[in-house]
Amino acid sequence: MSDADLLFRPDLLAKYGANGPRYTSYPTALQFRDDFDPADYRRAAADPGASETDLSLYFHIPFCDTVCFYCGCNKVITKNRGRAKPYLQQMIREVALQARLFDTKRPVSQLHWGGGTPTFLSLDEMSALMAATREHFTLLPDDEGEYSIEIDPREATAQTVAHLRSLGFNRLSLGVQDFDPVVQKAVNRIQPLELTVDVMNAARANGFESISVDLIYGLPHQNVSTFRRTLETMLLLAPDRISVFGYAHMPHLFKMQRQMDETTLPPPAQRMALLQLVIEQLTDAGYVYIGMDHFALPTDELARAQVQRTLHRNFQGYSTRADCDLIGFGASAIGKVGDVYAQNAKDLTGYGAAIDAGELAIRKGVRLTADDRLRRDIITELMCNLELRYDEFEAAYGVRFPAAFAPELERLREFERDGLVARSADRLEVLPAGRMLVRNIAMVFDRYLGAQQRESFSRTI
Ligand code: SF4
């Protein structure tokens, strides 16, 4: 049996596929409270016990030149490049504000610019933001840190890529979605192949360590034969990582999605065929299925980390870095510091007003309980390392796992009968057929997830 046959079980995907969180955090952002006290965040930042932990910095740059109809990100669509200027000044001020709260000798082992479109900024603006970051925090020498940026190939040239490398970025993540011109037109993202190729070539020429590419299945007009061509083209380009997300059609939440003709969306059976195609093509080409939507070449650090059980998960997805304290900069950015999650104001006006007044822009957040911490670790272990070793939880939390989680383990009986998990006296293991449904397995351990909440999340398959 091939890897794809082991992973892809359409009967089980249809049975268990349901709406659910991606668990970039636990509890999820739905649990963040409006009455969160930013003093909790400040206390967590000042905790001397945290000085052994590295820092991770996330910068949210929300501007995009044109809208992609499928998009569910927090973004501002504008052709006016001048709009970035005041926002950039506010982010630079926020860097200084946040730096006062932390021991800034702590090494920054991860840094990420996401959006929106980070390269909406001019080269000089990018330099200014990175200079402010270096002034206030301890960035690592080149290639010791995991410093990544999301690139829209329509908004970047070879010169942009070289500039980013000179600023210290060493990983790129490219949005592609689909090479097919009919699909590109339907989603309002016209991106000729040459643009993607040019950026990838420039990244290689400039010594970027890892190139990651995003595709989406389930978009209008996609079918197996067109998407096969997209995948074949992508395989020729041989990125280190490929993420293939299932398009989440939620027009009640994202108005722009109403611009697409719903009748052109692939029906469920065709979506399943597209997913099967993805798994077959990528695993046959030698990519390792990491989990959720992510595939990586066996030489890539994510694939190696999974073998060594050192894979982690954060707001940007999978990572090889140990759990860091995460500081989020910019509108809607989320920080995770010790036992606290805190999210900045989502709108530019609210964010800017707070920063201009010399205050943090935190609007929501949550402080974890002991039970939250334990469940967060359980969910992370399942999502990253695909097993729970009970003795590790007993050592870390003093709980006798099978007794403490008897109801959850009971709920997993059916998953076990269907061959998604294997339970033994000392561990719970996710089997190959369960890997695509790992979110559904993790959901069993989520104590907040009610039926109503599920509707806020996209489908797991
Ligand atoms: S997909 Fe990216 S480029 Fe397109 S609108 Fe969303 S954030 Fe902007």
Side-chain angles (χ1 to χ4, degrees), residues 64 66-68 70-71 73 75 77 115-117 152 154 177 189:
C64 299
T66 48
V67 67
C68 311
Y70 55 81
C71 177
C73 298
K75 62 201 175 288
I77 306 297
T117 309
D152 178 343
R154 299 170 303 168
Q177 325 315 351
R189 186 181 176 118

Side-chain angles (χ1 to χ4, degrees), residues 59 111-113 118 126 130 134 142-143 145-150 161 163-172 206-209:
F59 295 83
L111 179 146
H112 185 81
W113 288 10
M126 293 185 217
M130 196 56 115
R134 282 188 192 280
D142 189 32
D143 290 348
E146 191 178 273
Y147 295 170
S148 55
I149 179 166
E150 291 164 20
V161 174
H163 186 71
L164 292 170
R165 187 74 188 94
S166 75
L167 293 181
F169 287 100
N170 49 33
R171 286 157 177 79
L172 286 190
N206 284 282
F208 275 83
E209 262 181 55

Side-chain angles (χ1 to χ4, degrees), residues 247-289:
Y247 166 58
H249 191 59
M250 303 170 92
H252 56 292
L253 294 180
F254 308 115
K255 261 198 269 166
M256 269 299 153
Q257 295 185 347
R258 295 181 201 157
Q259 300 288 324
M260 295 186 289
D261 177 358
E262 282 190 357
T263 62
T264 60
L265 291 171
Q270 199 166 329
R271 260 181 88 97
M272 202 58 98
L274 287 165
L275 179 58
Q276 179 170 17
L277 175 79
V278 167
I279 293 160
E280 284 172 358
Q281 296 263 107
L282 298 190
T283 54
D284 285 356
Y287 282 81
V288 177
Y289 179 57

Side-chain angles (χ1 to χ4, degrees), residues 88-144:
L88 180 79
Q89 291 311 320
Q90 283 152 353
M91 279 185 111
I92 288 174
R93 241 170 271 150
E94 190 188 11
V95 168
L97 271 175
Q98 292 268 13
R100 274 186 229 140
L101 307 178
F102 289 83
D103 169 5
T104 53
K105 288 195 213 64
R106 294 164 69 182
V108 174
S109 62
Q110 273 184 331
L111 179 146
H112 185 81
W113 288 10
T117 309
T119 51
F120 187 92
L121 302 180
S122 69
L123 300 189
D124 285 347
E125 286 170 338
M126 293 185 217
S127 298
L129 182 55
M130 196 56 115
T133 309
R134 282 188 192 280
E135 183 190 333
H136 291 283
F137 289 92
T138 306
L139 267 57
L140 292 173
D142 189 32
D143 290 348
E144 282 184 30

Side-chain angles (χ1 to χ4, degrees), residues 94-369:
E94 190 188 11
V95 168
L97 271 175
Q98 292 268 13
R100 274 186 229 140
L101 307 178
F102 289 83
D103 169 5
T104 53
K105 288 195 213 64
R106 294 164 69 182
V108 174
S109 62
Q110 273 184 331
L111 179 146
H112 185 81
W113 288 10
T117 309
T119 51
F120 187 92
L121 302 180
S122 69
L123 300 189
D124 285 347
E125 286 170 338
M126 293 185 217
S127 298
L129 182 55
M130 196 56 115
T133 309
R134 282 188 192 280
E135 183 190 333
H136 291 283
F137 289 92
T138 306
L139 267 57
L140 292 173
D142 189 32
D143 290 348
E144 282 184 30
E146 191 178 273
Y147 295 170
S148 55
I149 179 166
E150 291 164 20
I151 296 278
D152 178 343
R154 299 170 303 168
E155 289 280 342
T157 62
Q159 191 197 357
T160 321
V161 174
H163 186 71
L164 292 170
R165 187 74 188 94
S166 75
L167 293 181
F169 287 100
N170 49 33
R171 286 157 177 79
L172 286 190
S173 167
L174 306 188
V176 173
Q177 325 315 351
D178 195 328
F179 288 124
D180 188 272
V182 176
V183 178
Q184 290 192 355
K185 185 158 186 278
V187 302
N188 199 39
R189 186 181 176 118
I190 309 291
Q191 185 174 319
L193 172 63
E194 303 76 67
L195 296 184
T196 304
V197 172
D198 288 351
V199 169
M200 288 181 78
N201 286 343
R204 290 197 169 111
N206 284 282
F208 275 83
E209 262 181 55
S210 178
I211 302 173
S212 167
V213 167
D214 292 348
L215 298 174
I216 301 182
Y217 74 90
L219 292 175
H221 299 290
Q222 276 179 340
N223 61 50
V224 167
S225 84
T226 63
F227 207 52
R228 187 192 304 281
R229 278 200 296 277
T230 285
L231 290 167
E232 283 168 356
T233 308
M234 189 50 80
L235 290 172
L236 289 175
L237 301 178
D240 303 276
R241 301 175 193 172
I242 304 179
S243 300
V244 193
F245 300 99
Y247 166 58
H249 191 59
M250 303 170 92
H252 56 292
L253 294 180
F254 308 115
K255 261 198 269 166
M256 269 299 153
Q257 295 185 347
R258 295 181 201 157
Q259 300 288 324
M260 295 186 289
D261 177 358
E262 282 190 357
T263 62
T264 60
L265 291 171
Q270 199 166 329
R271 260 181 88 97
M272 202 58 98
L274 287 165
L275 179 58
Q276 179 170 17
L277 175 79
V278 167
I279 293 160
E280 284 172 358
Q281 296 263 107
L282 298 190
T283 54
D284 285 356
Y287 282 81
V288 177
Y289 179 57
I290 302 291
M292 307 251 310
D293 334 272
H294 300 279
F295 298 80
L297 287 174
T299 46
D300 187 81
E301 59 191 352
L302 281 191
R304 296 202 310 263
Q306 192 166 53
V307 171
Q308 291 156 4
R309 296 188 82 235
T310 54
L311 199 59
H312 291 270
R313 215 172 144 65
N314 60 24
F315 283 101
Q316 283 83 56
Y318 288 102
S319 156
T320 60
R321 302 292 154 152
D323 209 14
C324 302
D325 276 342
L326 167 70
I327 311 176
F329 302 94
S332 78
I334 297 177
K336 190 208 82 171
V337 180
D339 289 345
V340 163
Y341 288 110
Q343 182 169 30
N344 278 348
K346 287 187 179 169
D347 61 301
L348 295 197
T349 312
Y351 168 75
I355 300 294
D356 288 345
E359 291 164 9
L360 295 178
I362 293 172
R363 286 291 173 278
K364 281 180 170 202
V366 67
R367 194 161 57 139
L368 274 66
T369 64

